Amino acid sequence: MIFVPEFLLVIAAVVLIFSKNVLKKDNWIPAAALAALGLAFFWRLGTVGQESSLGDFFVSNDFSWYFDLIYLGVAAAAVIFSFSISKDRNIFFSLMLIGTAGMMLLTKSRDILALFLSIELIALSLYSLVAFGKDERKLEAGIKYFILNVFASALLILGLGIVFVLTGATQFSEIGNNLTQQMALPLLAGIVFILAGLGFKMGIFPFNFWLPDVYEAAPIGITTLLAGASKKAAFGAVALLFVLGLGGLVPFWAGLFTLLAVATLLFGHLGAIWQSNFRRFLAYSIIGQSGFMMMGLAAPSVLGLTGLLFHILTHALAIIGIFAIMAFLEAKGIFEIHALDGLGKRSPFLAVALTIFLASLGGVPLLAGFVSKFVLLSAAISMGLVMLAVFAVLASIISIFFYFKIVRSMFAGKTQAKILEVPILTSIIVSISLILIFLLGIFPGQVIGFLSQTINYIII
Amino acid sequence: MFPLLSTILLFTLLFVLFAFLGKRKFAADIALLGAFVILIMALAGLLRFDFGASGFQMLEQYSWIPQMNISVILGIDGWSYPMVILTALLFFIGILISRFSVKDKQEYYYPIFLLLEFSVLGVFMSLDLFLFYIFWEIVLIFMFFLILIWGHENRKYASMKFLIYTHIGSLVMLLAIIAMYFQSGLHTFDIRALAEASYPLGFQYLAFFGMLFAFMIKMPIVPFHTWLPDAHVEAPTAGSIVLAGVLLKMGAYGLLRIPMTAFPDAAKDLAIFMAVLGFITIVYGAFVSLAQTNLKRMIAYSSVNHMGIVLLGIATLTPAGLNGANFEMFSHGLAAALLFALAGAIYDRLHTYEIGTMGGLAQIVPKLSWIFVIGSLGAMGLPGLAGFVAEFNVFIGSFQAFGAWTFLGLLGVVITAAYFLLTLQRAFFGPIPSIVPKIKDLIGAETHPHAILAVLLFVFGIFPFLLLSFLNSTTLAFISRL
């Protein structure tokens, strides 16, 4: 039963690809992709608490359940944002489904090989998706993404190879058993290579330089998928590999994560200040948010990992909401931040919603983003990482500055432009994310409890 | 027992909803009714309040996030209850005044104003630091929008400055709160439990400084005061009233409630440091007020000056000083609210705050002018008005604790008198400008809010025990723990 949702997605993808040979029309394809994702989502929703495994390769439990729901939710939103794609729809949407299936496999993997295969599956589908379209800039972004990712994959396999050579095992749990303190130093090389390889996918400093360009040029649905799902999958993989496999050497690598967290926090947040294009701005802010997620790995206690998982969810929700609004605004020709001036008059609903999403990212209380940041800060302080917490606070202040600069221009900026009619689909997606962000912000107890239980699956 | 405090909070939210969903033209009326009901409910607590008791009363506790040991704990004591009443009163006054000054987007203005009231009340009522922080933060957000949307010309700059400055303080406070959660070993945010825990001295210093920093920004204390004049000048009138009246007091209240109570050793060691900052703030605030030509900016700096007196009172660690500091929080709340309300009324008529363009207002708008005189005298600390009792107590405490240094503070009081008298002379009693502005005096309903505040200044000045009976037992209990 473990792979039912993945099978569903792959079968749907195959059907979509070959449908072109049978049917002339293709306007049903996005809906079919959405239906497949929806079906997988609800199937997975019903399997909470169930555990199953495929040998020692893949294990499905509540940990992967949580991630699967996030991937499927984000992918469904991404499919909706891509309705306007008109050429080669069958390929586009089937690749999205395959990429999503790859992510679902990634956070189930318990073996170096499984991990690597899943990552490549994701990458293969995203390479072509990023470059989709005729625009030359997209092609450039696609090539950039492709080359850097191939490079990252090479580093990753090198790093994984070092771990294998030293420990003589491919399974995470066996790697954990075979670890000895003497391996620490040679393992450092492996850890650095793995971090470099996965760091590209996570979008952390200093492996994030592709990110703004690609986020800006890719189709909006794909940017959503990159920011909301594939990046989270990479974090899930790192949590699995490092906590489950290399958990015996926590003091050894946690310091490295602390440094990377601080650097990522500062780079992303300082970079975002200067952006004028909305997508590039978001790209930098997303890099900054990765810094917060890194905090969870830098303080890998139950609290820290809970914070990491929770932040992944709250961030994905905000991303879905913001990109829904952006997809609509881009269709109206709004790409730059200054074009948001007076949005409060043009569409009060969108302006208020965007304010709440940005405030949640900035960590304003009663919104989901605050609680996850709070848990992460608590984790850092409880582990004595006070300086990390101070840097996180510093980053948070900077982020409030640039998020509320946008809020300010929406409500106090002047505009002559006419009122915007918001399509019903956009309203629905935005409303769902809004409701969830408030729910998780005001009543986070259940989720925090669930997550701290779930962490037991990866902490031995 | 009837859960009064949570009922007050829920009713505030209910009226927010009514004002938002009701018809646009009724928004102001609904909000007024709401603020009135809340004021009555806040006063109704007097029936049950035990003036002799020192601990928290009307306690309510509800589990909220049991996974992290976070609860909704509400309660009031002799320090916070006057603040709750002051909040309810000033928001009521603020809405009365907004009916004359706020014209556009009323359907959003009144709900946001009531939401601000909700969060300020929450700050003074909550006994769980997580909850306290949440209320504290959303106060910022709603105040930001109040300034941003209904402020004057330079509102974009001022609202951002306000948000960033105070947010820096909040986050530093959050770090200190989380550190207390772990350092106490109790894994709780309950203020009462955290106050009983013992902390190593080094930690006490660190956390005390963090919190002092946060609260000094809010109060504000020199050199962290620069956001205040900008925010005040750009804020709408009712925004200024509550900003000076209660939002600044949140800083002083937080200082008393958390670090002073939980870290008594650090408090004793750092009292001198706070006193120095208090003296500097008193004198600096007074001198800068003297130099202002903008009426609202002048009143704003006088708030800085008065919050310096509050900090000095807290730093004395004597019963008189602490009673005086709390009394000052209340009396300055009344006086500053009155002065800002009148400044707003003048702005509505003359469309300027420049003192230089006014003159002879006492002959043109006598009622407004004479109430302004009362407010000024109240802020100066004239005997018979509430400010006198407060400052008298603070300086008594200061003499006991710091001796002759107190003259520095008295110097500040003298300068305060000077700038108020100077302003009165220039704006209200000077020669009438050659072109007499055609403006109306306060008439009918517009007089009421100002009159209420002016009368209360006298009431608490003549019968100080009305307020001291709240403060004294809590203050004595606080002193005994030091």
Side-chain angles (χ1 to χ4, degrees):
Chain A
M1 298 297 276
I2 167 170
F3 289 135
V4 171
E6 285 91 339
F7 266 125
L8 200 89
L9 294 185
V10 173
I11 290 169
V14 173
V15 170
L16 287 188
I17 288 185
F18 291 110
S19 67
K20 196 152 195 189
N21 303 344
V22 187
L23 292 165
K24 282 275 178 295
K25 283 191 171 173
D26 64 356
N27 46 7
W28 56 275
I29 287 180
L34 192 59
L37 287 168
L39 210 58
F41 182 89
F42 286 109
W43 176 280
R44 201 66 182 102
L45 200 61
T47 55
V48 62
Q50 293 180 15
E51 288 175 49
S52 52
S53 59
L54 182 79
D56 299 317
F57 250 54
F58 293 103
V59 174
S60 167
N61 52 32
D62 278 354
F63 180 80
S64 58
W65 178 83
Y66 179 76
F67 273 97
D68 284 356
L69 291 188
I70 293 176
Y71 303 147
L72 291 166
V74 172
V79 164
I80 294 175
F81 304 156
S82 309
F83 276 0
S84 58
I85 297 278
S86 55
K87 211 172 152 288
D88 294 328
R89 281 183 151 177
N90 54 341
I91 300 173
F92 185 88
F93 288 102
S94 64
L95 281 176
M96 277 178 99
L97 295 184
I98 290 175
T100 311
M103 296 172 206
M104 295 171 68
L105 289 176
L106 181 56
T107 31
K108 292 191 180 85
S109 52
R110 289 291 184 279
D111 187 290
I112 285 179
L113 291 173
L115 179 112
F116 189 74
L117 285 176
S118 321
I119 282 205
E120 287 309 292
L121 190 58
I122 303 168
L124 278 175
S125 78
L126 286 177
Y127 291 152
S128 23
L129 285 172
V130 165
F132 216 82
K134 278 193 171 160
D135 196 338
E136 246 177 58
R137 247 174 14 143
K138 284 183 178 160
L139 202 61
E140 187 195 322
I143 291 173
K144 204 171 189 175
Y145 184 72
F146 174 72
I147 292 177
L148 285 176
N149 260 290
V150 169
F151 183 60
S153 294
L155 291 178
L156 175 62
I157 202 150
L158 190 61
L160 292 175
I162 292 176
V163 171
F164 170 69
V165 167
L166 285 172
T167 59
T170 59
Q171 286 165 38
F172 296 163
S173 53
E174 215 172 306
I175 291 174
N177 291 336
N178 295 357
L179 272 187
T180 57
Q181 291 299 323
Q182 286 76 28
M183 287 178 196
L185 222 47
L187 252 183
L188 184 63
I191 288 175
V192 169
F193 283 128
I194 292 172
L195 264 185
L198 288 172
F200 272 97
K201 331 267 173 182
M202 300 196 288
I204 57 169
F205 185 85
F207 314 110
N208 53 9
F209 292 97
W210 58 275
L211 203 136
D213 295 332
V214 172
Y215 277 23
E216 186 189 354
I220 183 117
I222 301 313
T223 307
T224 312
L225 203 61
L226 282 172
S230 87
K231 170 195 192 71
K232 272 68 176 180
F235 270 100
V238 170
L240 278 176
L241 178 60
F242 278 79
V243 180
L244 206 55
L246 305 173
L249 297 174
V250 167
F252 194 67
W253 51 259
L256 193 62
F257 277 88
T258 309
L259 284 180
L260 289 176
V262 170
T264 310
L265 280 168
L266 292 181
F267 181 89
H269 285 100
L270 290 175
I273 298 178
W274 317 108
Q275 303 307 316
S276 61
N277 177 288
F278 196 34
R279 277 218 213 171
R280 289 188 79 83
F281 162 78
L282 270 179
Y284 278 97
S285 122
I286 287 166
I287 296 172
Q289 294 288 331
S290 303
F292 283 106
M293 294 174 202
M294 288 295 284
M295 283 176 75
L297 294 168
S301 58
V302 172
L303 200 59
L305 293 169
T306 305
L308 167 68
L309 293 194
F310 198 25
H311 200 68
I312 283 175
L313 174 62
T314 61
H315 187 238
L317 285 174
I319 287 292
I320 291 176
I322 292 174
F323 277 78
I325 293 173
M326 210 154 69
F328 167 69
L329 292 179
E330 286 186 357
K332 300 280 175 192
I334 297 177
F335 293 94
E336 301 293 314
I337 290 179
H338 68 77
L340 293 170
D341 275 8
L343 189 67
K345 282 198 197 76
R346 301 181 68 188
S347 169
F349 171 68
L350 285 191
V352 170
L354 192 53
T355 301
I356 291 170
F357 294 138
L358 293 176
S360 175
L361 285 180
V364 171
L366 294 185
L367 302 174
F370 167 71
V371 184
S372 55
K373 273 191 187 177
F374 176 81
V375 177
L376 287 168
L377 275 180
S378 304
I381 291 179
S382 75
M383 301 279 277
L385 300 169
V386 178
M387 280 323 284
L388 177 61
V390 168
F391 275 110
V393 158
L394 198 67
S396 215
I397 290 165
I398 300 172
S399 78
I400 283 286
F401 170 70
F402 54 64
Y403 290 137
F404 275 80
K405 235 169 69 178
I406 294 182
V407 172
R408 185 176 73 173
S409 65
M410 285 196 297
F411 289 103
K414 291 189 171 51
T415 179
Q416 304 299 327
K418 58 181 189 303
I419 287 175
L420 293 168
E421 292 289 336
V422 186
I424 186 82
L425 209 54
T426 305
S427 310
I428 291 175
I429 299 176
V430 168
S431 306
I432 292 175
S433 337
L434 274 184
I435 291 169
L436 287 175
I437 280 179
F438 271 113
L439 266 183
L440 289 176
I442 300 175
F443 304 107
Q446 294 293 326
V447 179
I448 289 177
F450 171 80
L451 290 179
S452 44
Q453 287 298 313
T454 307
I455 295 304
N456 291 329
Y457 286 114
I458 63 168
I459 288 185
I460 4 161
Chain B
M1 284 289 244
F2 181 70
L4 183 69
L5 300 182
S6 56
T7 314
I8 291 178
L9 291 179
L10 284 179
F11 261 70
T12 321
L13 282 185
L14 211 60
F15 276 102
V16 169
L17 216 60
F18 290 157
F20 183 64
L21 297 177
K23 273 202 177 136
R24 207 197 128 142
K25 60 177 178 182
F26 295 134
D29 298 323
I30 296 171
L32 186 65
L33 178 68
F36 184 69
V37 170
I38 294 156
L39 177 60
I40 295 297
M41 284 165 69
L43 290 173
L46 289 171
L47 300 174
R48 266 175 50 199
F49 192 77
D50 180 356
F51 290 87
S54 60
F56 291 102
Q57 305 182 31
M58 302 189 206
L59 282 168
E60 294 173 43
Q61 182 158 5
Y62 311 96
S63 174
W64 181 17
I65 310 175
Q67 289 79 4
M68 295 194 76
N69 220 346
I70 294 168
S71 321
V72 173
I73 312 175
L74 302 175
I76 47 178
D77 67 354
W79 283 350
S80 54
Y81 192 26
M83 287 295 114
V84 169
I85 294 176
L86 183 68
T87 306
L89 174 72
L90 291 188
F91 274 85
F92 175 65
I93 300 272
I95 289 176
L96 273 178
I97 282 169
S98 300
R99 290 157 67 86
F100 297 97
S101 57
V102 175
K103 298 281 180 263
D104 59 335
K105 300 198 193 105
Q106 296 192 358
E107 70 274 36
Y108 301 119
Y109 176 83
Y110 288 103
I112 291 187
F113 200 66
L114 282 179
L115 278 172
L116 188 63
E117 173 167 15
F118 166 76
S119 28
V120 177
L121 286 172
V123 167
F124 290 126
M125 288 178 186
S126 46
L127 298 182
D128 183 281
L129 285 182
F130 185 84
L131 188 67
F132 177 88
Y133 177 80
I134 283 183
F135 280 126
W136 180 279
E137 259 307 84
I138 56 179
V139 166
L140 300 190
I141 301 296
F142 294 132
M143 193 65 209
F144 166 79
F145 280 110
L146 217 55
I147 300 175
L148 178 68
I149 303 180
W150 292 276
H152 301 308
E153 297 77 27
N154 207 6
R155 59 188 195 270
K156 286 171 87 170
Y157 169 75
S159 57
M160 206 64 185
K161 193 171 178 183
F162 167 78
L163 182 71
I164 297 300
Y165 256 79
T166 42
H167 188 66
I168 293 174
S170 310
L171 284 177
V172 173
M173 172 170 79
L174 181 65
L175 285 184
I177 289 175
I178 297 175
M180 283 171 81
Y181 177 87
F182 289 109
Q183 183 69 41
S184 66
L186 299 171
H187 293 248
T188 175
F189 289 106
D190 188 337
I191 291 181
R192 295 164 298 171
L194 288 176
E196 296 302 322
S198 59
Y199 306 88
L201 198 61
F203 177 80
Q204 284 199 24
Y205 278 124
L206 208 65
F208 193 97
F209 264 116
M211 295 218 169
L212 186 64
F213 172 72
F215 296 130
M216 280 198 319
I217 291 179
K218 193 78 182 181
M219 281 174 74
I221 294 301
V222 178
F224 304 116
H225 64 285
T226 54
W227 62 269
L228 182 83
D230 288 315
H232 266 308
V233 171
E234 301 307 327
T237 303
S240 284
I241 291 175
V242 295
L243 181 57
V246 283
L247 263 66
L248 304 187
K249 276 68 188 179
M250 282 164 44
Y253 171 77
L255 184 61
L256 283 169
R257 179 98 304 154
I258 312 172
M260 296 291 289
T261 310
F263 310 127
D265 302 326
K268 271 184 283 191
D269 294 350
L270 294 173
I272 297 285
F273 174 70
M274 288 193 288
V276 170
L277 286 172
F279 281 128
I280 292 175
T281 305
I282 294 172
V283 175
Y284 178 88
F287 271 115
V288 178
S289 299
L290 196 59
Q292 298 308 313
T293 58
N294 178 310
L295 183 61
K296 223 174 171 185
R297 203 169 261 274
M298 190 277 277
I299 306 172
Y301 273 109
S302 101
S303 296
V304 175
N305 161 273
H306 282 92
M307 294 316 281
I309 296 178
V310 173
L311 185 64
L312 177 63
I314 293 174
T316 61
L317 299 179
T318 58
L322 282 159
N323 276 341
N326 278 288
F327 208 111
E328 180 76 328
M329 283 157 68
F330 194 85
S331 67
H332 176 255
L334 296 176
L338 179 55
L339 290 174
F340 274 118
L342 290 164
I346 293 174
Y347 182 85
D348 290 341
R349 289 165 171 75
L350 296 175
H351 304 291
T352 178
Y353 289 123
E354 284 304 314
I355 299 173
T357 63
M358 302 167 193
L361 285 179
Q363 294 172 46
I364 308 168
V365 283
K367 221 192 277 178
L368 192 157
S369 304
W370 284 106
I371 301 181
F372 197 98
V373 171
I374 296 175
S376 303
L377 295 178
M380 272 188 251
L382 199 77
L385 289 154
F388 172 73
V389 185
E391 288 172 20
F392 187 73
N393 272 301
V394 168
F395 289 122
I396 295 252
S398 175
F399 263 116
Q400 290 168 346
F402 309 118
W405 289 103
T406 309
F407 283 109
L408 263 179
L410 291 173
L411 172 72
V413 174
V414 172
I415 305 165
T416 305
Y419 65 72
F420 269 116
L421 291 174
L422 211 64
T423 307
L424 287 178
Q425 189 213 358
R426 280 196 289 172
F428 296 95
F429 297 102
I432 303 174
S434 48
I435 314 156
V436 181
K438 287 202 178 75
I439 53 173
K440 283 193 206 129
D441 202 355
L442 298 174
I443 33 170
E446 205 184 354
T447 325
H448 300 158
H450 307 94
I452 295 171
L453 291 173
V455 168
L456 286 176
L457 274 177
F458 278 110
V459 168
F460 287 101
I462 299 170
F463 307 109
F465 64 88
L466 283 178
L467 190 53
L468 286 173
S469 58
F470 281 97
L471 305 175
N472 205 32
S473 49
T474 307
T475 302
L476 291 178
F478 171 81
I479 299 279
S480 70
R481 290 190 66 248
L482 281 175

